[in-house]
Amino acid sequence: MKTINHTQSVHAGREDLRRLGVHALPVDLSTTYPLSDVAGGTASLDALVSGQASADNPVYARLFNPTVARWEQSMAVAEGAEAAVAFSSGMAALTACILALQDRGRHVVAVRPIYGTSDHLLASGLLGNEISWTDADAVAAAIRPDTALVLIETPANPTLSLVDIEAVVAQAGEVPVMVDSTFATPILQTPLAQGAAMVMHSATKFLGGHGDVIAGVIACSEQWAARLRQIRVATGALLHPWAAYLLHRSMPTLKLRVERAQSVAIELAGRLSEHPHVSRVHFPGLPGQDPKSLLGRQMRGPGSVLAFEVDAGYETAAAVVNAVQLMTPAVSLGSVDSLIQHPAALTHRVMSEEDRSGCGIQQNLLRISVGLEEPEDLWQDIEQALSKAFSQALSYKAA
Ligand SMILES: *Cc1c(COP(=O)(O)O)cnc(C)c1O
C-alpha cells in the first residue's frame, strides 16, 4: 500500500510563510478585498466564479479565502489528490457533491449503513435526487443511465463494516464513486489510490480532532474540484477562516492522534469481546471481522471507533451510556477524549426502525469513539458502567 507522505501534508499550505516572515498560519478575516482596478477585479471574479482555485484578487470572501485555501492544500496532499474543497460541514460537502453532479443525472446509488443524516438527506429526496440502496456486491445491478454518483462509507457508521473500494469502483464503471472516509482519515486510508473519484470527510471528527470545529472537505481531481467550487460560490456553504486555521493546526498531530487512539481501541475491543455482558463487538481489527482482507490492502489499521452490543435490550444499553463517568456521553467522534453514544436513539434516529435493523443498527448497540486517555482508565469506566447498568436491570426484574 502506498503511504502518503505525512511530512509533506504537514508542510503543505505553509510554503510561503518564511518569505512572509511568520511562523504561525496567518488568518485572513476579510470579507472584501481592495481592487487595484475594476477590470482586474472583473477578471478575478470571472475566474473564481467559474471554479478556478485562485485568482489575483479574492474579490469577496464567498469566492476565495487564503486561510481556507492553505488547509485545502494540506488536505489535497494528505489524500494524494490534485485538489481539496472545504465546506462549512460534512453535510454541506455531501450536498455540494450531489448538486455538482446533477447534470449527469438525479439517481444516486449508496451502500448502507452510512452516517444517519447522509442517509436521511438521500432517502428524503430533499435535493430532488432518487436513491437506490444496495449491497456492496450488487452495485453494478443498481446503476442506471441517469446514475450520477455511487456513495459508500468505509468503515461504516456505526457498524464499522468495511467496503471494498476497488470492487465498488470496478462495478460503477463510468459513474464516479465518492467514499466517505471520515472514520479512517487519510492516515489509515486514501480512497483515491483505490480508484475513487472523490473522498469526503466530516472534518468535524478526526481532522479537527478537538471537538471545536464543524467542517467538511472533498478531495478529488482539479476537474471535480472546479465544479464543487462553483457550487460553493453559488450556495455559500463556506468554511470560516478561523475553522480552517484550527483544522490546519491539527494536521501535524493527526497521525499521532489516530495511531495512539487506534492502539487504545484495539486494547478495549479485545477486552470488550471477553466481557460477559457484551454479546458482540464490532471492530474491523477483531478476528473474523474483515472477511475481504481489506486491512493492509485498503486500510492501514482498524481505526479507533468501535461498537458493541450489550447482552440485553434498549433500556440496559441506554443505562450504560447514562452510567459512564470518564467518557462523555455524546454524539460525534474523533476527538482527543472518548465519547459514547446510542446510535439507534441518537445519530441514526432519523432512519426508520426497519431500515436501521436491516443494516445492523440494533437497539442494544453502543458506539465508542476512543480518545487518547490511558486504556486502563477507560476500561475501568466501561466496566463500572456495564456493571451498574446490568445490576439496575436485575433489580427492575426483581421488583
Ligand atoms: C459526522 C459525519 C458526517 C456529517 O458531518 P457534519 O460535519 O456533522 O456535517 C458525515 N459522515 C460521517 C461518517 C460522519 O461521521
Side-chain angles (χ1 to χ4, degrees):
M1 263 181 90
K2 187 170 162 251
T3 12
I4 299 295
N5 190 325
H6 172 65
T7 308
Q8 279 173 12
S9 82
V10 167
H11 287 270
R14 309 177 58 103
E15 294 84 354
D16 58 340
L17 296 195
R18 195 184 296 192
R19 186 176 52 76
L20 293 173
V22 297
H23 182 65
L25 293 155
V27 179
D28 182 348
L29 297 175
S30 308
T31 56
T32 192
Y33 291 84
L35 303 169
S36 51
D37 63 280
V38 171
T42 305
S44 290
L45 183 112
D46 286 351
L48 293 170
V49 169
S50 73
Q52 268 187 36
S54 62
D56 289 342
N57 192 307
V59 186
Y60 183 59
R62 182 157 37 69
L63 312 185
F64 181 86
N65 175 275
T67 306
V68 174
R70 287 178 186 281
W71 177 60
E72 289 173 334
Q73 283 164 32
S74 172
M75 275 310 297
V77 170
E79 287 291 356
E82 282 174 11
V85 185
F87 294 91
S88 50
S89 69
M91 294 315 303
L94 177 57
T95 299
C97 173
I98 292 166
L99 296 177
L101 291 167
Q102 262 181 1
D103 51 358
R104 294 180 64 98
R106 292 181 174 267
H107 182 235
V108 176
V109 171
V111 176
R112 270 185 174 140
I114 54 175
Y115 181 70
T117 308
S118 306
D119 190 300
H120 173 63
L121 179 70
L122 294 170
S124 65
L126 264 176
L127 298 173
N129 64 288
E130 287 176 49
I131 175 82
S132 298
W133 302 105
T134 178
D135 283 344
D137 300 328
V139 167
I143 303 275
R144 307 192 318 211
D146 63 337
T147 305
L149 176 72
V150 174
L151 176 70
I152 56 174
E153 189 174 301
T154 181
N157 186 359
T159 58
L160 286 310
S161 53
L162 303 184
V163 180
D164 186 337
I165 299 170
E166 266 174 13
V168 168
V169 168
Q171 293 181 72
E174 293 297 300
V175 180
V177 174
M178 181 156 87
V179 178
D180 184 335
S181 193
T182 300
F183 276 42
T185 80
I187 301 300
L188 298 179
Q189 169 175 290
T190 36
L192 302 185
Q194 257 84 40
M198 287 176 259
V199 50
M200 74 162 262
H201 293 276
S202 167
T204 312
K205 313 296 166 54
F206 291 96
L207 296 176
H210 298 74
D212 53 8
V213 184
I214 293 246
V217 65
I218 296 178
C220 54
S221 66
E222 179 50 37
Q223 201 187 340
W224 288 122
R227 189 80 186 110
L228 290 167
R229 289 186 206 107
Q230 282 182 316
I231 301 286
R232 185 177 63 182
V233 165
T235 60
L238 306 173
L239 185 63
H240 192 273
W242 276 129
Y245 171 85
L246 288 170
L247 285 158
H248 206 163
R249 199 179 67 161
S250 291
M251 290 302 279
T253 57
L254 181 62
K255 189 161 188 278
L256 267 179
R257 288 184 280 113
V258 166
E259 289 177 351
R260 162 68 182 174
Q262 174 173 264
S263 74
V264 179
I266 290 170
E267 177 67 32
L268 295 181
R271 292 197 194 184
L272 272 169
S273 28
E274 312 268 284
H275 197 285
H277 292 326
V278 173
S279 51
R280 186 168 167 198
V281 181
H282 301 252
F283 186 65
L286 288 174
Q289 300 213 11
D290 176 25
K292 301 209 164 133
S293 302
L294 295 171
L295 289 182
R297 179 155 68 86
Q298 169 174 298
M299 259 189 107
R300 286 177 271 275
S304 56
V305 184
L306 58 84
F308 63 101
E309 290 168 33
V310 297
D311 193 11
Y314 167 80
E315 297 292 339
T316 308
V320 173
V321 177
N322 295 339
V324 295
Q325 288 173 352
L326 178 65
M327 290 189 281
T328 304
V331 299
S332 198
L333 57 113
S335 189
V336 285
D337 56 323
S338 297
L339 309 174
I340 182 167
Q341 67 111 3
H342 188 292
L346 298 163
T347 52
H348 290 70
R349 183 169 162 73
V350 283
M351 296 171 73
S352 73
E353 166 82 52
E354 195 189 344
D355 289 341
R356 267 198 309 263
S357 56
C359 64
I361 309 171
Q362 311 299 348
Q363 292 289 342
N364 62 345
L365 182 78
L366 296 175
R367 187 189 77 189
I368 297 181
S369 168
V370 177
L372 307 179
E373 301 94 336
E374 292 300 327
E376 212 53 59
D377 296 330
L378 288 171
W379 181 244
Q380 266 180 27
D381 193 28
I382 294 171
E383 267 198 317
Q384 69 79 26
L386 277 166
S387 105
K388 187 168 174 206
F390 275 81
S391 65
Q392 272 172 7
L394 276 182
S395 60
Y396 291 146
K397 265 187 208 146

